[in-house]
Amino acid sequence: MQPVPSLIPLSLPDLSALETRYVLEALESRRLAMGAFVTTFEEKMAVMCGVTHAVAVNSGTAALHLIVRALGLRAGDEVITTPYSFVASANCLLFEDVIPRFVDIDPGTYALDVRRIESAITPATRAILAVDVFGQPADWPALEALAERHGLMLIDDACEAPGASVRGRPIGAWGWAAAFGFYPNKPITTGEGGCITTDDPEIASLCRSMANQGRRTPAIMEHVRLGYNYRLDELSAAVGCAQLERSDDLFARRRQVAAWYDEALTGLAHRIRRPTEKPGSVRSWFVYVIELLPESPAGLRDRVMERLRAAGIGCAPYFPTIHLQPYYRERFGYREGDFPVAESVSARTLALPFYSTLEKNEVERVAEALAGAFSAAEKNGNE
Ligand SMILES: *Cc1c(COP(=O)(O)O)cnc(C)c1O
């Protein structure tokens, strides 16, 4: 009998005895909300990002929403952002009836193409919301210069980029404020969770108040503004504290797995582009996304994905473009062709299994399966 090969999932959190110990400590303390783990987690986030303020919340989406509100963005304001991202980076604007003005991406980094931004600025434009796609930092020095020149605010959706930096300055410290997310597939996880980082004390205190029902002071029933319950709980923060203590190791392991992939995929260089690290920046390894070359036959990516899945290998089409999501099409009338670079990249990108505990032989198995999937899918496609 053939041994059944184990499945290789798309992602897995890396949890050690330390996470377990801290969660048990939190449970035994009987303090499940607004306690020491949340405070410690915020201190550690501020240190990692080189900022003065970190506000923990219960998702990356909540972090983005609070930043939008704290910056005073309102109905009818326009914010320039990318169509090639996870949907939350544009949804956070719609929560406040702020209008996303999508600008096409740089095919090299998948980030907002800074050269295209100026022509999208209108009298209603108030801010730029850039995303560090797949952990590769956006072009922050250029974004900062452009935002200053036009008097625009600058927001970083850094959900995919903890540990990254540009010119030695950490992600989390660029822009007016940055949002992090800690869903289990992210490089740092808390289960569900998020965080806002900023050097601006006013933004920090507004976010802190709005995350806690608009209170003036944490435990007191005086509500001075519209707020939410976006608080991170102690159990999640306990996991996060352990993750941040282990972050150097977690990031190094992900980098090692990426290097194994680079090596294992050299034989497919005529078919795919492997992810890169932009000179002058340190990227975070959130996912390992390969891109089929532009001359690939239409539909090949999807056929390759089917074959990988059939071989028990997790994969995903990261990202479908935001503007072509049914809700955005219906609400704003977007159509194919509106953002051709993002659409072309989106039709050809594919995330492979990627997590810090992935082993070298598993990476090699994925690479073999991928080569096999290409051959089979091409044959199939030509019939
Ligand atoms: C994960 C992610 C988010 C949202 O984070 P949640 O914690 O799932 O709400 C936002 N933007 C980007 C780019 C993400 O990858």
Side-chain angles (χ1 to χ4, degrees), residues 99-169:
I99 302 160
R101 278 275 165 245
F102 293 119
V103 164
D104 216 339
I105 60 166
D106 174 339
T109 59
Y110 305 148
L112 263 182
D113 187 341
V114 178
R115 293 163 311 172
R116 295 176 190 261
I117 290 178
E118 233 150 13
S119 61
I121 295 175
T122 76
T125 309
R126 302 277 317 280
I128 302 170
L129 191 164
V131 180
D132 303 310
V133 177
F134 305 146
Q136 173 73 67
D139 190 350
W140 289 104
L143 286 167
E144 203 171 65
L146 188 82
E148 255 169 49
R149 198 156 64 242
H150 292 275
L152 301 176
M153 298 181 283
L154 192 54
I155 304 168
D156 184 4
D157 179 343
C159 284
E160 306 188 349
S165 62
V166 182
R167 296 186 183 167
R169 185 164 147 206

Coordinates of all heavy atoms in Angstrom, one line a residue, residues 99-169:
I99 N -14.9 57.7 0.5 CA -14.9 57.1 -0.9 C -13.5 56.7 -1.2 O -12.5 57.5 -1.2 CB -15.3 58.2 -1.9 CG1 -16.7 58.6 -1.6 CG2 -15.2 57.6 -3.3 CD1 -17.1 59.9 -2.3
P100 N -13.3 55.3 -1.4 CA -12.0 54.9 -1.8 C -11.7 55.3 -3.3 O -12.6 55.1 -4.1 CB -12.1 53.3 -1.7 CG -13.5 53.0 -1.6 CD -14.3 54.3 -1.3
R101 N -10.6 55.9 -3.5 CA -10.2 56.2 -4.9 C -9.0 55.3 -5.2 O -7.9 55.5 -4.8 CB -9.7 57.7 -5.0 CG -10.7 58.7 -5.1 CD -11.2 58.9 -6.6 NE -12.4 59.6 -6.6 CZ -13.6 59.1 -7.0 NH1 -13.7 57.9 -7.5 NH2 -14.7 59.8 -7.0
F102 N -9.3 54.2 -5.9 CA -8.3 53.2 -6.2 C -7.3 53.8 -7.2 O -7.7 54.5 -8.2 CB -8.9 51.9 -6.7 CG -9.8 51.2 -5.7 CD1 -11.1 51.0 -5.9 CD2 -9.2 50.8 -4.5 CE1 -11.9 50.3 -4.9 CE2 -9.9 50.1 -3.5 CZ -11.3 49.9 -3.8
V103 N -6.1 53.4 -7.0 CA -5.0 53.7 -7.9 C -4.2 52.4 -8.2 O -4.0 51.6 -7.3 CB -4.1 54.8 -7.3 CG1 -2.7 54.9 -8.0 CG2 -4.7 56.2 -7.2
D104 N -3.9 52.2 -9.5 CA -3.2 51.0 -9.9 C -1.9 50.8 -9.2 O -1.3 51.7 -8.6 CB -3.2 50.9 -11.4 CG -3.4 49.4 -11.9 OD1 -3.3 48.5 -11.1 OD2 -3.8 49.2 -13.0
I105 N -1.4 49.5 -9.3 CA -0.2 49.1 -8.5 C 1.0 49.1 -9.3 O 1.0 49.0 -10.6 CB -0.4 47.8 -7.8 CG1 -0.7 46.7 -8.8 CG2 -1.6 47.9 -6.8 CD1 -0.6 45.3 -8.3
D106 N 2.2 49.0 -8.6 CA 3.5 48.8 -9.2 C 3.6 47.3 -9.4 O 3.6 46.6 -8.4 CB 4.5 49.4 -8.2 CG 5.9 49.1 -8.6 OD1 6.2 48.1 -9.4 OD2 6.8 49.8 -8.1
P107 N 3.8 46.8 -10.6 CA 3.9 45.4 -10.8 C 5.1 44.7 -10.1 O 5.1 43.5 -10.0 CB 3.9 45.2 -12.3 CG 4.5 46.5 -12.8 CD 4.0 47.6 -11.9
G108 N 6.1 45.5 -9.7 CA 7.3 45.0 -9.1 C 7.0 44.6 -7.6 O 7.5 43.6 -7.1
T109 N 6.4 45.6 -6.9 CA 6.2 45.4 -5.5 C 4.8 45.1 -5.1 O 4.5 44.8 -3.9 CB 6.6 46.7 -4.7 OG1 5.8 47.7 -5.2 CG2 8.1 47.0 -4.9
Y110 N 3.9 45.2 -6.0 CA 2.4 45.1 -5.8 C 1.8 46.2 -4.9 O 0.7 46.1 -4.5 CB 2.1 43.7 -5.2 CG 2.6 42.5 -5.9 CD1 2.9 41.4 -5.2 CD2 2.7 42.5 -7.3 CE1 3.4 40.2 -5.9 CE2 3.1 41.3 -7.9 CZ 3.5 40.2 -7.2 OH 3.9 39.1 -7.9
A111 N 2.6 47.2 -4.6 CA 2.2 48.3 -3.8 C 1.6 49.4 -4.7 O 1.8 49.4 -5.9 CB 3.3 48.8 -3.0
L112 N 0.9 50.3 -4.1 CA 0.4 51.5 -4.8 C 1.5 52.1 -5.7 O 2.6 52.3 -5.2 CB 0.0 52.6 -3.8 CG -1.4 52.7 -3.3 CD1 -1.5 53.9 -2.3 CD2 -2.3 53.0 -4.4
D113 N 1.2 52.4 -6.9 CA 2.2 53.0 -7.8 C 2.2 54.5 -7.5 O 1.2 55.2 -8.0 CB 1.8 52.7 -9.3 CG 2.9 53.1 -10.2 OD1 3.7 54.0 -9.8 OD2 2.9 52.6 -11.4
V114 N 3.2 54.9 -6.8 CA 3.2 56.3 -6.4 C 3.1 57.3 -7.6 O 2.5 58.4 -7.4 CB 4.5 56.6 -5.5 CG1 4.6 58.0 -5.1 CG2 4.5 55.6 -4.3
R115 N 3.7 56.9 -8.7 CA 3.7 57.8 -9.9 C 2.3 58.1 -10.4 O 2.0 59.0 -11.1 CB 4.5 57.2 -11.0 CG 6.0 57.1 -10.7 CD 6.6 56.2 -11.7 NE 5.9 54.9 -11.8 CZ 6.1 54.0 -12.7 NH1 7.0 54.1 -13.6 NH2 5.4 52.8 -12.7
R116 N 1.3 57.2 -10.0 CA -0.1 57.3 -10.5 C -0.9 58.1 -9.6 O -2.1 58.4 -9.9 CB -0.7 56.0 -10.7 CG -0.1 55.1 -11.8 CD -0.7 53.8 -11.8 NE -0.1 52.8 -12.6 CZ -0.4 52.5 -13.9 NH1 -1.5 53.0 -14.4 NH2 0.2 51.5 -14.5
I117 N -0.4 58.4 -8.4 CA -1.3 59.0 -7.3 C -1.7 60.4 -7.6 O -2.9 60.8 -7.5 CB -0.6 58.9 -5.9 CG1 -0.5 57.4 -5.5 CG2 -1.3 59.8 -4.9 CD1 0.2 57.2 -4.1
E118 N -0.8 61.2 -8.1 CA -1.0 62.6 -8.3 C -2.3 62.9 -9.2 O -3.1 63.7 -8.8 CB 0.2 63.4 -8.8 CG 0.6 64.5 -8.0 CD 2.1 64.8 -8.0 OE1 2.8 64.3 -8.9 OE2 2.5 65.6 -7.1
S119 N -2.4 62.1 -10.2 CA -3.5 62.4 -11.1 C -4.9 61.9 -10.5 O -5.9 62.2 -11.1 CB -3.3 61.7 -12.5 OG -3.2 60.3 -12.3
A120 N -4.8 61.2 -9.4 CA -6.1 60.8 -8.8 C -6.5 61.7 -7.7 O -7.6 61.6 -7.1 CB -5.9 59.4 -8.2
I121 N -5.7 62.7 -7.4 CA -6.0 63.7 -6.3 C -7.0 64.7 -6.8 O -6.9 65.2 -7.9 CB -4.7 64.4 -5.8 CG1 -3.7 63.4 -5.2 CG2 -5.0 65.5 -4.8 CD1 -2.4 64.0 -4.8
T122 N -8.1 64.9 -5.9 CA -9.1 65.8 -6.2 C -9.2 66.8 -5.0 O -8.6 66.5 -4.0 CB -10.5 65.2 -6.5 OG1 -11.0 64.8 -5.2 CG2 -10.4 63.9 -7.3
P123 N -10.1 67.8 -5.1 CA -10.3 68.7 -4.0 C -10.8 67.9 -2.7 O -10.6 68.4 -1.6 CB -11.3 69.7 -4.4 CG -11.1 69.8 -5.9 CD -10.8 68.3 -6.3
A124 N -11.4 66.8 -2.9 CA -12.0 66.0 -1.8 C -11.0 65.0 -1.2 O -11.3 64.4 -0.2 CB -13.3 65.2 -2.3
T125 N -9.8 64.9 -1.8 CA -8.9 63.9 -1.3 C -8.3 64.4 0.0 O -7.8 65.5 0.2 CB -7.7 63.7 -2.3 OG1 -8.3 63.5 -3.6 CG2 -6.8 62.6 -1.9
R126 N -8.3 63.5 1.0 CA -7.8 63.9 2.4 C -6.6 63.0 2.8 O -5.9 63.5 3.6 CB -9.0 63.7 3.4 CG -10.2 64.5 3.2 CD -10.1 65.9 3.7 NE -9.5 66.0 5.0 CZ -10.1 65.7 6.1 NH1 -11.4 65.4 6.2 NH2 -9.4 65.9 7.3
A127 N -6.5 61.8 2.2 CA -5.5 60.9 2.8 C -5.1 59.9 1.7 O -5.8 59.7 0.7 CB -6.0 60.2 4.0
I128 N -4.0 59.2 2.0 CA -3.5 58.1 1.2 C -3.5 56.9 2.2 O -2.9 57.1 3.3 CB -2.1 58.3 0.6 CG1 -2.1 59.5 -0.3 CG2 -1.7 57.0 -0.1 CD1 -0.7 59.9 -0.8
L129 N -4.1 55.8 1.8 CA -4.0 54.6 2.7 C -3.3 53.5 1.9 O -3.8 53.0 0.9 CB -5.4 54.1 3.0 CG -5.5 53.0 4.1 CD1 -7.0 52.9 4.6 CD2 -5.1 51.6 3.7
A130 N -2.0 53.3 2.2 CA -1.2 52.3 1.5 C -1.1 51.0 2.3 O -1.3 51.0 3.5 CB 0.2 52.9 1.3
V131 N -0.9 49.9 1.6 CA -0.8 48.6 2.2 C 0.6 48.0 1.9 O 1.1 48.1 0.8 CB -1.9 47.7 1.5 CG1 -1.9 46.3 2.2 CG2 -3.3 48.3 1.7
D132 N 1.1 47.4 2.9 CA 2.4 46.7 2.7 C 2.1 45.2 2.3 O 2.0 44.3 3.1 CB 3.2 46.7 4.0 CG 3.4 48.1 4.5 OD1 3.9 48.9 3.7 OD2 3.1 48.4 5.7
V133 N 1.9 45.1 1.0 CA 1.3 43.9 0.4 C 2.2 42.7 0.6 O 3.4 42.7 0.2 CB 1.0 44.1 -1.1 CG1 0.4 42.8 -1.7 CG2 0.0 45.2 -1.2
F134 N 1.7 41.6 1.2 CA 2.4 40.4 1.5 C 3.6 40.6 2.4 O 4.6 39.8 2.4 CB 2.9 39.7 0.2 CG 1.7 39.4 -0.8 CD1 1.9 39.5 -2.2 CD2 0.5 39.1 -0.3 CE1 0.9 39.2 -3.1 CE2 -0.6 38.9 -1.2 CZ -0.4 38.9 -2.6
G135 N 3.7 41.8 3.1 CA 4.8 42.0 3.9 C 5.9 42.9 3.3 O 6.8 43.3 4.0
Q136 N 5.8 43.1 2.0 CA 6.8 44.0 1.3 C 6.3 45.5 1.5 O 5.2 45.8 1.1 CB 6.8 43.7 -0.2 CG 7.6 44.6 -1.0 CD 9.1 44.4 -0.8 OE1 9.6 43.4 -1.2 NE2 9.8 45.4 -0.2
P137 N 7.2 46.3 2.2 CA 6.7 47.6 2.5 C 6.4 48.4 1.2 O 7.1 48.3 0.2 CB 7.9 48.3 3.2 CG 8.7 47.1 3.8 CD 8.5 46.0 2.8
A138 N 5.4 49.2 1.3 CA 5.1 50.2 0.2 C 6.2 51.2 0.1 O 7.1 51.2 1.0 CB 3.8 50.9 0.5
D139 N 6.2 52.1 -0.9 CA 7.3 53.0 -1.0 C 7.1 54.2 -0.1 O 6.7 55.3 -0.5 CB 7.3 53.5 -2.5 CG 8.6 54.3 -2.8 OD1 9.3 54.6 -1.9 OD2 8.8 54.5 -4.0
W140 N 7.4 54.0 1.2 CA 7.1 55.0 2.2 C 7.8 56.3 2.1 O 7.2 57.4 2.2 CB 7.2 54.4 3.6 CG 6.1 53.4 3.9 CD1 6.2 52.1 3.9 CD2 4.7 53.7 4.0 NE1 4.9 51.5 4.0 CE2 4.0 52.5 4.1 CE3 4.0 54.9 4.1 CZ2 2.6 52.4 4.3 CZ3 2.6 54.9 4.3 CH2 2.0 53.6 4.4
P141 N 9.1 56.3 1.7 CA 9.7 57.6 1.6 C 9.0 58.5 0.5 O 8.8 59.7 0.7 CB 11.2 57.3 1.2 CG 11.4 55.9 1.8 CD 10.0 55.2 1.7
A142 N 8.7 57.8 -0.6 CA 8.0 58.6 -1.7 C 6.6 59.0 -1.3 O 6.1 60.1 -1.6 CB 8.0 57.7 -3.0
L143 N 5.9 58.1 -0.6 CA 4.5 58.4 -0.2 C 4.5 59.6 0.8 O 3.7 60.4 0.7 CB 3.9 57.2 0.5 CG 3.5 56.0 -0.4 CD1 3.2 54.8 0.4 CD2 2.3 56.4 -1.3
E144 N 5.5 59.5 1.7 CA 5.6 60.6 2.7 C 5.8 62.0 2.0 O 5.2 63.0 2.4 CB 6.7 60.3 3.7 CG 6.6 60.9 5.0 CD 7.7 60.4 5.9 OE1 8.9 60.6 5.7 OE2 7.3 59.7 6.9
A145 N 6.7 62.0 1.1 CA 7.0 63.2 0.4 C 5.8 63.7 -0.4 O 5.5 64.9 -0.3 CB 8.2 63.0 -0.6
L146 N 5.1 62.8 -1.1 CA 3.9 63.2 -1.8 C 2.8 63.7 -0.9 O 2.2 64.7 -1.2 CB 3.5 61.9 -2.6 CG 2.4 62.2 -3.6 CD1 2.9 62.7 -4.9 CD2 1.6 60.9 -3.9
A147 N 2.6 63.0 0.2 CA 1.5 63.4 1.1 C 1.8 64.8 1.7 O 0.9 65.6 1.8 CB 1.4 62.3 2.2
E148 N 3.1 65.0 2.0 CA 3.4 66.3 2.5 C 3.2 67.4 1.5 O 2.6 68.5 1.8 CB 4.9 66.4 3.0 CG 5.0 66.3 4.5 CD 6.4 66.1 5.0 OE1 7.3 66.8 4.5 OE2 6.6 65.1 5.8
R149 N 3.6 67.1 0.3 CA 3.5 68.1 -0.8 C 2.0 68.5 -1.0 O 1.7 69.7 -1.3 CB 4.1 67.5 -2.1 CG 4.4 68.6 -3.1 CD 5.5 68.1 -4.1 NE 5.1 67.0 -4.9 CZ 5.8 65.8 -4.9 NH1 6.8 65.6 -4.1 NH2 5.4 64.8 -5.6
H150 N 1.1 67.6 -0.8 CA -0.3 67.8 -1.1 C -1.1 68.0 0.1 O -2.4 68.1 0.1 CB -0.9 66.7 -2.0 CG -0.3 66.7 -3.4 ND1 -0.8 67.4 -4.4 CD2 0.7 66.0 -3.9 CE1 -0.1 67.2 -5.5 NE2 0.8 66.3 -5.2
G151 N -0.5 68.0 1.3 CA -1.2 68.2 2.5 C -2.2 67.1 2.8 O -3.3 67.3 3.3
L152 N -1.8 65.9 2.5 CA -2.6 64.7 2.8 C -2.2 63.9 4.0 O -1.0 63.9 4.3 CB -2.6 63.8 1.5 CG -3.1 64.4 0.2 CD1 -2.9 63.4 -0.9 CD2 -4.5 64.8 0.3
M153 N -3.1 63.3 4.7 CA -2.8 62.4 5.7 C -2.3 61.0 5.1 O -2.6 60.8 4.0 CB -4.0 62.2 6.7 CG -4.4 63.5 7.3 SD -5.8 63.4 8.5 CE -7.2 63.2 7.4
L154 N -1.6 60.3 6.0 CA -1.0 59.0 5.4 C -1.3 57.9 6.4 O -0.9 58.0 7.6 CB 0.5 59.3 5.2 CG 1.3 58.3 4.4 CD1 0.7 58.0 3.1 CD2 2.7 58.8 4.3
I155 N -1.9 56.8 5.9 CA -2.3 55.7 6.8 C -1.5 54.4 6.2 O -1.5 54.2 5.0 CB -3.8 55.4 6.7 CG1 -4.6 56.7 7.1 CG2 -4.2 54.2 7.6 CD1 -6.1 56.6 6.8
D156 N -1.0 53.6 7.1 CA -0.4 52.3 6.7 C -1.2 51.2 7.2 O -1.4 51.0 8.4 CB 1.0 52.2 7.4 CG 1.8 51.0 6.9 OD1 1.2 50.2 6.0 OD2 2.9 50.7 7.4
D157 N -1.8 50.4 6.2 CA -2.3 49.1 6.5 C -1.1 48.2 6.6 O -0.7 47.6 5.6 CB -3.3 48.7 5.5 CG -3.9 47.3 5.8 OD1 -3.3 46.6 6.6 OD2 -5.0 46.9 5.3
A158 N -0.6 48.0 7.8 CA 0.6 47.2 8.0 C 0.3 45.8 8.5 O 1.1 45.1 9.1 CB 1.5 47.9 9.0
C159 N -1.0 45.4 8.3 CA -1.5 44.1 8.8 C -0.6 42.9 8.4 O -0.5 41.9 9.1 CB -2.9 43.8 8.4 SG -4.1 44.8 9.3
E160 N 0.1 43.0 7.2 CA 0.9 41.9 6.8 C 2.4 42.1 7.0 O 3.2 41.2 6.5 CB 0.6 41.7 5.3 CG -0.9 41.6 5.0 CD -1.3 41.2 3.6 OE1 -0.4 41.3 2.7 OE2 -2.5 40.9 3.4
A161 N 2.7 43.2 7.7 CA 4.2 43.5 7.7 C 4.8 43.7 9.0 O 5.7 44.6 9.1 CB 4.4 44.7 6.8
P162 N 4.4 43.0 10.1 CA 5.1 43.2 11.4 C 6.6 42.8 11.2 O 6.9 41.8 10.6 CB 4.4 42.3 12.4 CG 3.8 41.3 11.5 CD 3.4 41.9 10.2
G163 N 7.5 43.6 11.7 CA 8.9 43.3 11.7 C 9.6 43.9 10.4 O 10.8 43.8 10.4
A164 N 8.8 44.4 9.5 CA 9.4 45.0 8.3 C 10.0 46.4 8.6 O 9.6 47.0 9.6 CB 8.4 45.0 7.2
S165 N 10.8 46.9 7.7 CA 11.3 48.3 7.9 C 11.8 48.8 6.5 O 12.0 48.1 5.6 CB 12.5 48.3 8.9 OG 13.6 47.5 8.4
V166 N 11.8 50.1 6.5 CA 12.3 50.8 5.3 C 13.4 51.8 5.7 O 13.1 52.6 6.6 CB 11.2 51.6 4.6 CG1 11.7 52.2 3.3 CG2 10.0 50.6 4.2
R167 N 14.5 51.7 5.1 CA 15.7 52.6 5.5 C 15.9 52.6 7.0 O 16.1 53.6 7.6 CB 15.4 54.0 5.0 CG 15.4 54.2 3.5 CD 15.3 55.6 3.1 NE 15.1 55.8 1.7 CZ 14.8 56.9 1.1 NH1 14.5 58.0 1.8 NH2 14.7 56.9 -0.2
G168 N 15.8 51.4 7.6 CA 16.0 51.3 9.0 C 14.9 51.7 9.9 O 15.0 51.6 11.1
R169 N 13.8 52.3 9.4 CA 12.7 52.8 10.2 C 11.6 51.7 10.1 O 11.1 51.4 9.0 CB 12.2 54.1 9.7 CG 11.1 54.8 10.5 CD 11.0 56.2 10.0 NE 9.7 56.8 10.1 CZ 9.2 57.8 9.4 NH1 10.0 58.4 8.5 NH2 8.0 58.2 9.5

